[in-house]
Amino acid sequence: MARGAFAITKGRFFGWVAAFVVATLLLGPVVAVFVHADSINDELTGEWATVRFTLVQAILSAFLSVALAIPVARALARRRFVGRGVLITLLGAPFILPVIVAVLGLLAVFGRGGVLNSALGWAGVEPISIYGLQGVVLAHVFFNLPLATRIILQGWQGIPGERFRLAASLDMAPRDVFRTLEWPMLWSVLPGAAMVIFALCLSSFAVALTLGGGPRATTIELAIYQAFRFDFDLGRAAMLALLQLVLAGGAAALALWVAVPMGFGAGLDRVVRRWESDGATVRVLDGGVIVLAALFLILPLTMVVLSGLAGLAKMPAAVYSAAGVSVLIALMSTCVTMVLALGLAQRAEIWGYLGLAISPMVVGTGLFLLINPVADPMALALPVIVMVNALMALPFSVRVLGPELRAIETDFGRLADALGMAGWARMRWLYLPRLRRPMGFSAGLAAALSMGDLGVVTLFAATDWATLPLQMYRLMGAYRMEAAAGAGLLLLALSLLLFWFFDRGGRVDVDA
């Protein structure tokens, strides 16, 4: 089967138009940033602390996420228990969970008045602080530990069961099984997992905005925002955006180079008998690891629900209007994402991954520089946010739709050519009926990601206009934590509802 983009002779024009649109919308702002930054003093002495913190938090987050995921994935790979499938499904939840909602849950558990510090105070121990480097890393581990676990679990499930049976027949000790079977797999999987997580953490904005922000805990993305909103120093913002482009682009290139294939569905329910781990001690250790991982994921979400229910009645009217704006943006950006993804998957799939190398804040900076001389950027906030959200979700949609389109062409392409199917007829009768399930999943993912976005909206939103994540952040900044908790519960519910609506819609009348 062909890899990468493939030539569908009847869909070239649509594919190249989509590629041109994506390249223009992503590379145009980059060029604007480069031109603006090239005209300023290139003295970077004052920014090295920001660059250093950005790299340190990304390295620590990637290392801890992968290191902690190894025992969790190992335990899940060799144990069967009630609720195992639900737990594995839950491992995908943080990816569509709005960042600001997760931060609120982490504050409820690890914050100064949270569950952990309350327990420490009862024991006479000094409270811990969630703000600064430790808070940023903790939040990133919360988001990326499940991702690392899923990647590593795929590696474990890829080891043939016959190898473990042979190891048992040879009476190999656990350390020998690890050395001969498990370590070679980990050696091939871990670098890719670590680089993917490092690239994601490098461009993180909302986590640093809420849990960092001090002079010693500022990432490049956050520094760009501060240069815009507080100083309106476009030259410094452009210089920082150029730095972020170099770092994020390099990290994304390395991640694509060393990343392992991630098929997040097949084989996750198959448990191979592991005779070397039948001992009671190993069973207890595996059980403890699974319980701790589940608590780490479930407890913050539970606190969001409990505190959110109590705060629903205290939400101001602005929350509901912000919710309407977020839903509108999510629906519009999802439509744009799906149209572009279908076009790119037909002809120019590689262009869909360009968004991995360019952070939303860099795109937002470039768009602001392009719009500002000719129009009021705040007046164009809605279309700009829709387009940026669509571009940021595009790599994931192309990743889902590309292999499916290749399979359809392999199976039915020659027949469609023989029947003269082209253009809309080919799309209507060949592609769309067979793409309903992946399209539903992709649309749900794009809608959920857009609902929870707290990035470029911070650059373009006026004081009297906000999305739901931004309104929630403003409530937190005003120390209206109960109202923020209610808004967080509403945001979580809407994000999950949109994901379910699209994903379920793609499965209706489709054979499993």
Side-chain angles (χ1 to χ4, degrees):
M1 184 179 296
R3 297 184 62 184
F6 61 98
I8 299 178
T9 57
K10 305 299 183 182
R12 290 183 176 182
F13 180 74
F14 183 30
W16 285 123
V17 169
F20 175 78
V21 171
V22 171
T24 301
L25 292 174
L26 286 175
L27 297 181
V30 170
V31 172
V33 167
F34 180 79
V35 170
H36 201 91
D38 189 52
S39 65
I40 63 174
N41 191 336
D42 60 355
E43 179 62 43
L44 301 177
T45 304
E47 310 301 340
W48 285 127
T50 300
V51 175
R52 183 168 57 250
F53 178 83
T54 302
L55 293 174
V56 167
Q57 61 85 18
I59 292 171
L60 287 176
S61 299
F63 173 77
L64 290 175
S65 297
V66 170
L68 294 175
I70 293 174
V72 178
R74 192 185 197 192
L76 288 172
R78 61 190 186 185
R79 302 297 174 199
R80 182 177 294 278
F81 52 90
V82 177
R84 178 178 179 273
V86 175
L87 179 59
I88 291 176
T89 302
L90 183 65
L91 291 176
F95 191 74
I96 63 173
L97 182 69
V99 175
I100 191 71
V101 174
V103 168
L104 193 65
L106 291 173
L107 286 172
V109 177
F110 300 99
R112 187 167 187 83
V115 175
L116 178 61
N117 276 324
S118 297
L120 292 177
W122 180 80
V125 180
E126 287 293 321
I128 61 174
S129 174
I130 195 177
Y131 296 99
L133 176 62
Q134 61 270 26
V136 172
V137 172
L138 174 67
H140 284 160
V141 171
F142 175 81
F143 282 107
N144 295 300
L145 173 62
L147 174 62
T149 300
R150 292 294 294 264
I151 295 174
I152 299 171
L153 181 57
Q154 282 292 113
W156 246 295
Q157 296 291 353
I159 301 176
E162 291 76 14
R163 302 285 183 89
F164 292 108
R165 295 189 183 96
L166 179 60
S169 67
L170 296 175
D171 199 24
M172 295 176 66
R175 63 178 179 274
D176 297 322
V177 173
F178 180 80
R179 178 174 55 84
T180 59
L181 296 180
E182 297 174 321
W183 176 245
M185 177 275 297
L186 290 174
W187 182 253
S188 66
V189 170
L190 293 184
M195 283 308 307
V196 168
I197 295 172
F198 174 79
L200 292 174
C201 294
L202 200 64
S203 299
S204 175
F205 170 72
V207 169
L209 178 66
T210 51
L211 298 178
R216 297 182 180 180
T218 299
T219 61
I220 296 178
E221 296 266 297
L222 183 55
I224 295 172
Y225 164 75
Q226 292 169 342
F228 260 126
R229 300 298 291 186
F230 301 132
D231 304 325
F232 200 68
D233 187 344
L234 299 182
R236 179 170 177 263
M239 179 184 65
L240 289 167
L242 194 59
L243 275 174
Q244 179 67 356
L245 175 63
V246 172
L247 293 178
L254 286 174
L256 290 174
W257 181 51
V258 302
V260 295
M262 292 179 289
F264 287 114
L268 290 180
D269 288 327
R270 178 176 60 87
V271 180
V272 177
R273 174 78 183 276
R274 301 288 296 276
W275 290 268
E276 87 283 356
S277 60
D278 280 345
T281 301
V282 179
R283 287 178 177 275
V284 170
L285 289 176
D286 283 350
V289 167
I290 292 172
V291 169
L292 289 176
L295 286 176
F296 181 62
L297 294 176
I298 295 173
L299 189 55
L301 297 180
T302 302
M303 296 301 296
V304 167
V305 174
L306 294 178
S307 58
L309 289 174
L312 287 176
K314 300 184 179 181
M315 294 190 305
V319 169
Y320 296 101
S321 61
V325 171
S326 288
V327 171
L328 176 63
I329 290 175
L331 294 176
M332 295 173 66
S333 65
T334 299
C335 292
V336 175
T337 298
M338 298 312 298
V339 170
L340 293 176
L342 282 172
L344 293 176
Q346 288 186 63
R347 181 64 189 173
E349 187 177 338
I350 189 63
W351 288 98
Y353 299 108
L354 190 60
L356 293 175
I358 305 174
S359 76
M361 200 58 67
V362 173
V363 176
T365 302
L367 290 175
F368 193 99
L369 294 173
L370 289 172
I371 295 172
N372 191 51
V374 296
D376 180 10
M378 305 300 178
L380 299 175
L382 181 62
V384 168
I385 295 170
V386 167
M387 193 56 62
V388 174
N389 286 354
L391 293 173
M392 294 305 110
L394 191 58
F396 307 104
S397 294
V398 171
R399 172 77 184 221
V400 173
L401 296 180
E404 297 291 338
L405 268 175
R406 288 197 293 272
I408 293 172
E409 275 298 309
T410 300
D411 295 338
F412 303 102
R414 291 185 179 180
L415 177 60
D417 289 340
L419 295 174
M421 276 190 177
W424 172 246
R426 195 181 187 98
M427 179 69 69
R428 170 68 179 85
W429 298 108
L430 179 61
Y431 297 148
L432 293 182
R434 293 166 178 81
L435 287 176
R436 287 188 59 177
R437 292 186 67 174
M439 284 183 65
F441 175 78
S442 298
L445 185 61
L449 292 175
S450 180
M451 277 295 301
D453 177 68
L454 183 64
V456 70
V457 63
T458 58
L459 299 181
F460 287 84
T463 55
D464 58 346
W465 185 88
T467 61
L468 188 51
L470 182 57
Q471 184 62 40
M472 184 179 168
Y473 172 70
R474 290 173 178 174
L475 290 172
M476 293 171 65
Y479 299 100
R480 301 177 62 181
M481 299 305 295
E482 291 183 337
L489 181 58
L490 178 61
L491 176 57
L492 176 61
L494 290 174
S495 299
L496 296 178
L497 180 62
L498 283 175
F499 178 81
W500 174 86
F501 174 78
F502 284 108
D503 185 43
R504 178 61 179 170
R507 296 174 184 269
V508 174
D509 298 329
V510 178
D511 294 333

